[in-house]
Amino acid sequence: MEDPWARVTVALTLLAVDPAGLRGLWLRARAGPVRARVQDALVAFAPRKLHPSISDDALFGGLDLAATLGTGTMHHHAGLLGEGGILVLTMAERCPPALAVRLAQALDAQTDLGLIALDETAQDGEGLAPALCERLGLFLDLDALAWADTGPFALPMDQITQARARLSQVRITHDARTQVTGVAAALGIDSMRAPLLTLAAARAHAAWRGATELDAQDLALAVALVLAHRATAVPDAPPDDTPPPPPPQPSDDAAQTPPDTDGAQDIPDDMLIDAARAALPAGVLAKLQAGRVARAVQGQSSSGAVRKSKRRGRPLPSRAGALDSAGRVDVVATLRQAAPWQKLRRQSRPDARAGQVLLMPSDIRVRHFRAQTDRVLIFVVDASGSSALARLAEAKGAIELMLADAYATRDHVALVSFRGRNADLSLAPTRSLVQAKRQLAGLPGGGGTPLAGGLQVALETALHARGHGMAPTLALLTDGRGNIALDGSADRAAAGTDAVQLAQLIARQGIPALVIDTGLRPNPHLASLSAHMGATQIALPRADARALSATLSAAFGD
Amino acid sequence: MTPFPFSAIVGQDEMKTAMILTAIDPRIGGVLVFGDRGTGKSTAVRALAALLPPIDMVAGCPCNSATLADCPDWAGITQAVVVTRPTPVVDMPLGVSEDRVTGALDIERALTRGEKAFQAGLLARANRGYLYIDEVNLLEDHIVDLLLDVAQSGENVVEREGLSIRHPARFVLVGSGNPEEGELRPQLLDRFGLSVEVSSPREIETRIEVMRRRDAYENDHAAFMAHWQAEDADLRAQILAARAALAGVQVSNVALHDCASVCLALGSDGLRGELTLLAAARAMAAFAGADAITREHIRAAAPMALRHRLRRDPLDEAGTGARVARQLAEVLP
């Protein structure tokens, strides 16, 4: 579909028609007037919101403390999930994995539940948890939409109700099933949920049109809305001499569309793949893939404050404390402490109101956690031509070995590599061997030595990791012959000054570092650089990956 | 809606076999299912619950005790009314609190009646059944520690808020996860008797069959369930027969020797690998109706029993599954 706003309106309509089949919508957009317009349309059928730090109690229901204490008899309240319907998850990119998995399980278990995830992902490494991306049928990216492209929109609830009633009459033929499965496979989508969700979308669209059979436009639309963003491979476009049929133009007011007589069996697969291709403007797939990798690499980490304060913090039993102390009062623990004494205390306080809980200062319990930060070891690897390529291979091997050990100690490993004119974060902090191996395998070598650039990216990575509650350590592997300055110019003198400045910045941030001289002869510049960085320097004799890994382990005091 | 029938799951034979083996002999230990999304991992676990033979338990016992004598004192059960219930399959959600796992002071009773009573947790409910952890690799460390301790001892000990409670907690762990999101701690990895790797079916026909059955399950529920529940019943009967036959399965010295040499060749840590391999091969033999363990059974059980017990060698591109296969071909030709 060419008009992106029409696509948005159709997606919302389909979700309203068959929330049980489509399970929900992954809406990627920064907050703004365009998203507000979409949200306004949603209010009609998805008025309830939940946020990523919602408590289990609010979500799943539990003891209603206030009512229980007030009346002296037990009161429970239902959770948001218990009521079913479509929920809107705000700031979905901050949804911690635990909540994501539980929502995913609820989606699997309750057919009356749907979820709209508002994903405001702004930077790499954020993103909606994979467990949810996988289950939510529809995907929309509003960031590319300008205000001028949009229009006022309200869901026609009457027509939607009629379409809902027709839903069960829509027949899904064996051909349609075969075809959607084939297209999903051709797009490199492994999950079997994807084709099922696609058929649900096609069926919802057919019901919306008032048809009882799927036609080409139902399928093409479903592929564009459900399959396109899951694609991991888009088959090449057909050669020019056989131009593909023009993509179908599903109208956004489909109730008026005359029933199409095309049978589903006549649709060439190419056409559906084209629909997927058309739904993915250049770059979007790459962006989604990057997000996918970043999310996976991030593993169990979540964004923001939770990670800072108690990411791997082991909750210790709440202990006695005063109301004025800095800690948070653990209400439940406090009540637990007080509860067994209520009968006794009541005897000594006959004036107490019925049902009143008699608290003593000694009942107060305050939460605390044992803070324990994850370590992340950031390898900063010189992949330039001056540093022998063999060394790069050794560094890769060492990283894999460190990672294999690290997963036992729950450390993270990251890799910054620099060569040519640029430095890149080649591997975001990860504990996943699978991801690391994949990223390392494709790492190239050769070119100039932008040492300062490498240090800059390393510093950024370290600060970012620290911001997420991890304790970073740098391991710089280089021969120290930097010849590219920060601005990208091939100026050896400027390159040296820039490198020293960054080394000082690293030292000032108190980031522990280790410099491994991979050169064949000792390099005085590198010695001075490590001094500026406050780093320990090791000269590395010719060694294999295992020896390097052992050296590193010893140096970091493992 | 009734869970999707176990026998209607298309393909994924290794996963299904592993689950059947633990149903025949729970002492094998749990099953770890690692692999891509949308491959039917959770479907299989939920289906398993419906497939397992029911157990007899004392009505009202919080930890599913078989007899009155087994009921913990704190449950305050005086009459043994034995009822038949489906084998418990308890879900342990991520982000669960320690209180809910181990059990804690029953706050409701404490508040409303001023009584100090224990409210049993998930570990009690999973006793004599299965404990399922989806995305097990994302489980918080402090919960993993709890779990390891209980899985080791078979008993849950709660010392908190003035309570001192203990109750049996013997369960089969079933975990699922996606390796791209993080590794599992080796200590926990070790707790799983068997591990399987699942991936999406490669053949288009298989994929279409998955779609067809799912569609029938959703849109032609009654007929679909009637057919497949009959298949499930056959499978259940087969599991029960295998359970009865288990003790009679002969273990020859050759079989013992085979198990030991495979483990030795692979350098799997400790004796746990050998014992699990033997138990799995025995269950495999019982399921096949054989009266002795053959090399065939050992060969079939070895990848599941040993794959996750090998030291990870990141420089070996092939992965642990391939290493087991390679050694098997050499040691047990």
Side-chain angles (χ1 to χ4, degrees), chain A residues 144-386:
Chain A
L145 244 71
W147 174 248
D149 297 337
T150 69
F153 169 63
L155 288 170
M157 292 314 281
D158 287 350
Q159 283 161 269
I160 285 170
T161 314
Q162 290 165 18
R164 254 181 221 168
R166 285 193 294 263
L167 206 55
S168 61
Q169 295 155 22
V170 180
R171 224 163 51 81
I172 293 179
T173 59
H174 179 60
D175 288 324
R177 211 179 286 136
T178 308
Q179 203 164 21
V180 168
T181 314
V183 170
L187 292 171
I189 301 166
D190 284 336
S191 170
M192 291 306 299
R193 281 199 189 90
L196 287 166
L197 292 166
T198 311
L199 285 180
R203 189 178 58 170
H205 192 253
W208 172 247
R209 288 189 301 121
T212 55
E213 292 260 337
L214 299 185
D215 73 6
Q217 95 179 31
D218 298 328
L219 285 176
L221 185 77
V223 165
L225 285 172
V226 181
L227 281 190
H229 70 283
R230 297 170 205 262
T232 59
V234 179
D236 294 335
D240 287 342
D241 50 7
T242 54
Q249 303 278 326
S251 81
D252 48 348
D253 192 3
Q256 294 164 4
T257 313
D260 204 322
T261 47
D262 274 15
Q265 58 276 12
D266 301 333
I267 316 160
D269 278 2
D270 285 353
M271 190 166 150
L272 293 182
I273 288 172
D274 282 340
R277 201 183 283 123
L280 287 176
V284 171
L285 186 60
K287 208 165 105 193
L288 283 169
Q289 299 286 11
R292 203 167 289 161
V293 170
R295 275 194 309 276
V297 167
Q298 286 252 321
Q300 59 170 273
S301 57
S302 57
S303 299
V306 177
R307 178 154 51 191
K308 274 178 199 156
S309 60
K310 50 176 192 182
R311 174 146 145 52
R312 272 180 73 201
R314 180 185 293 256
L316 297 171
S318 299
R319 60 180 171 207
L323 272 179
D324 59 353
S325 68
R328 273 166 63 206
V329 174
D330 184 341
V331 178
V332 172
T334 302
L335 289 172
R336 273 204 184 113
Q337 187 62 31
W341 306 101
Q342 292 304 304
K343 268 187 184 161
L344 212 62
R345 288 182 190 169
R346 199 162 290 279
Q347 283 165 14
S348 61
R349 292 262 313 271
D351 57 313
R353 199 160 37 79
Q356 184 187 351
V357 176
L358 302 173
L359 285 182
M360 307 278 274
S362 61
D363 293 334
I364 303 296
R365 290 293 175 271
V366 178
R367 288 177 198 278
H368 67 141
F369 300 93
R370 186 165 73 202
Q372 189 182 10
T373 44
D374 287 2
R375 293 195 307 178
V376 53
L377 185 52
I378 303 168
F379 287 89
V380 189
V381 177
D382 186 343
S384 68
S386 68

Side-chain angles (χ1 to χ4, degrees), chain A residues 511-525:
Chain A
I511 298 165
L514 180 70
V515 174
I516 299 154
D517 186 352
T518 58
L520 294 174
R521 282 180 298 281
N523 177 353
H525 292 298

